[in-house]
Amino acid sequence: MTLATRDPHAATRDPHAANRNSHAPDPHPIPGWHVVYTKPRQECVAEENLLRQRYETWLPTIGKWTRRAAGWTCDTQPMFPRYLFLRTCDAQQSLAPVRSTLGAIGLVHFGERAPTVSCEIVDALRRLASDTREPPHPLRPGARVRVVAGPLAGLQALVTASAAHRVEIFLQLLGRDARACVQPEQLEPHPA
């Protein structure tokens, strides 16, 4: 696998990036990207195998905070589960092998036609994916939370300070405003 470093879209994995002059015209005769439908949770497997077949691929990912027993972690997940983008590297490259690629089901079709997504839309998705690589932590100061464990379970609160192993919250308790410190695992985000 080669990462394109001179390409303005450095996250795109392009098997021909090392041979491309940065001032050369776009070598892709087909404008736009095809969409590949993958098997469940096999996006990375499909991407790896399509790269081996010398296709250019892009799997847009975003970060998502999840609460685990050990605390909060930011996991990378596909922006569009079961889908990735693909384009050929030259006009002679066939799209037929995509449907038999390990991890892939095939190209998205509408009838007999496999439409493409314009480069402008893919560029906008790239910008969005880079902005959401790591979203704000759900227990940041000012966030509304609900206590899910411990003696304060069931109460709603506002986060005033947060550290790795302790979160200070502000809540109404017995008709009075109160501050309390709890473990991050005892909280979950509450919609405003």
Side-chain angles (χ1 to χ4, degrees):
M1 265 189 298
T2 304
L3 288 177
T5 54
R6 286 186 262 164
D7 189 348
H9 307 296
T12 301
R13 294 182 183 155
D14 181 357
H16 302 296
N19 300 329
R20 190 182 306 148
N21 182 345
S22 62
H23 301 291
D26 188 2
H28 301 283
I30 301 169
W33 293 76
H34 291 278
V35 180
V36 178
Y37 187 56
T38 68
K39 294 178 181 175
R41 300 174 197 240
Q42 296 288 307
E43 299 91 352
C44 293
V45 172
E47 180 184 35
E48 182 179 322
N49 286 293
L50 289 166
L51 285 169
R52 286 183 187 149
Q53 295 174 51
R54 307 195 54 79
Y55 291 106
E56 182 179 356
T57 64
W58 180 55
L59 175 61
T61 58
I62 57 173
K64 181 179 179 187
W65 286 98
T66 54
R67 187 168 57 98
R68 305 231 162 113
W72 288 90
T73 59
C74 187
D75 298 327
T76 301
Q77 299 180 349
M79 182 182 282
F80 306 108
R82 298 188 71 180
Y83 294 95
L84 62 90
F85 295 94
L86 164 141
R87 67 179 174 179
T88 58
C89 293
D90 59 53
Q92 289 77 34
Q93 190 173 18
S94 173
L95 293 170
V98 173
R99 69 177 170 265
S100 60
T101 299
L102 187 64
I105 292 175
L107 294 175
V108 172
H109 281 84
F110 296 110
E112 294 292 316
R113 195 170 150 265
T116 58
V117 176
S118 72
C119 292
E120 292 80 20
I121 292 174
V122 172
D123 288 341
L125 288 171
R126 286 181 197 275
R127 288 189 297 275
L128 180 62
S130 68
D131 291 344
T132 57
R133 188 83 49 212
E134 186 170 326
H137 194 285
L139 300 181
R140 68 191 176 283
R144 294 195 177 279
V145 293
R146 187 169 64 90
V147 183
V148 293
L152 302 174
L155 297 177
Q156 295 179 15
L158 189 67
V159 175
T160 57
S162 181
H165 301 289
R166 182 177 63 176
V167 178
E168 183 179 87
I169 57 175
F170 182 75
L171 63 142
Q172 287 278 324
L173 188 62
L174 300 173
R176 299 181 71 177
D177 293 338
R179 291 185 189 273
C181 290
V182 296
Q183 302 280 325
E185 303 83 48
Q186 294 178 295
L187 301 173
E188 72 178 19
H190 188 271

